[in-house]
Amino acid sequence: MTSSLPRVLVTGAAGVIGTVFWHSRHGEFSLRLADLHTARLAQAPCPAIALDVSDYDACLAACTDIDVVLHLAGVPHAGADFDTQLLQPNIVGTHNIFRAAQAQGVRRVVLASSAQAVEGYPLDVQVQEAMPARPANMYGASKAFGEGVAAAFAHQYGMTAFAVRIANVARFEPGQQHSARDIAAFVSERDVVQLLARCISAEVPAGYHVVHGVSDNRYKRLAIDATRKLVGYAPQDDGFILLGL
């Protein structure tokens, strides 16, 4: 019997967010997990493949018989060197995934962008979903490039493409010390997973959409009003409360 669940390719599935995602959502989607480090996926309850996103042919094969790509693969460090660390996975790899998805008839790609794509805005400015990228480092610039690729493929090919500006994924405990910016940008693991799942399954118009991945913090670095409305995001956590502030 063929599964009626959406067939979702998860790149970067062995990373922090990818691991939490498949642990909690594998029954909701028919998942195909992909990562350079497949040993970390040995206990996964769904198929796992080795994937180097800088290899276009490998991306093409990974996207076969897939409905949605959740593209989490890439180097996630704000201080990463562009030539040696960011160029292949974040620039070439993101382009390869969108090319391969379009070639294989995938209609939706959910891209993990980052709050670093808009970190160039002053800290006293709450960034709205409609505000354009303004990176403050080359990692943020690589994510801004990804947003541009997502927009281009959505407009050229009629795909549905999400750029999810994921903020400070962390586990806060009372008594910890964090900067005001990092608390305002906090997103819990369960909230970011919920948001990604909503981006996969929500009924939205075809085209390019920016959504923001922060929890329901008392003050939010990234606004989420439009995100709530578009995909039904309902965050459960507040970084200030978790820290006892």
Side-chain angles (χ1 to χ4, degrees), residues 1-7 28 30 67:
M1 180 181 295
T2 302
S3 171
S4 61
L5 298 177
R7 300 167 298 177
E28 186 175 341
S30 177
D67 300 309

Side-chain angles (χ1 to χ4, degrees), residues 36-86:
L36 276 173
H37 309 289
T38 53
R40 301 176 187 174
L41 303 174
Q43 305 304 315
C46 35
I49 60 172
L51 177 63
D52 179 351
V53 294
S54 67
D55 180 341
Y56 174 69
D57 289 336
C59 292
L60 199 63
C63 289
T64 305
D65 297 324
I66 288 295
D67 300 309
V68 182
V69 176
L70 173 57
H71 183 44
L72 304 176
V75 171
H77 307 302
D81 178 73
F82 182 80
D83 290 323
T84 62
Q85 295 177 284
L86 297 173

Side-chain angles (χ1 to χ4, degrees), residues 130-144:
M131 293 168 68
R134 186 182 289 185
N137 52 58
M138 290 311 297
Y139 167 65
S142 77
K143 290 300 184 178

Side-chain angles (χ1 to χ4, degrees), residues 7 63 66-68 99-108 159:
R7 300 167 298 177
C63 289
I66 288 295
D67 300 309
V68 182
R99 287 174 61 207
Q102 188 274 326
Q104 295 288 30
V106 176
R107 301 305 302 164
R108 183 176 299 206
M159 299 172 71

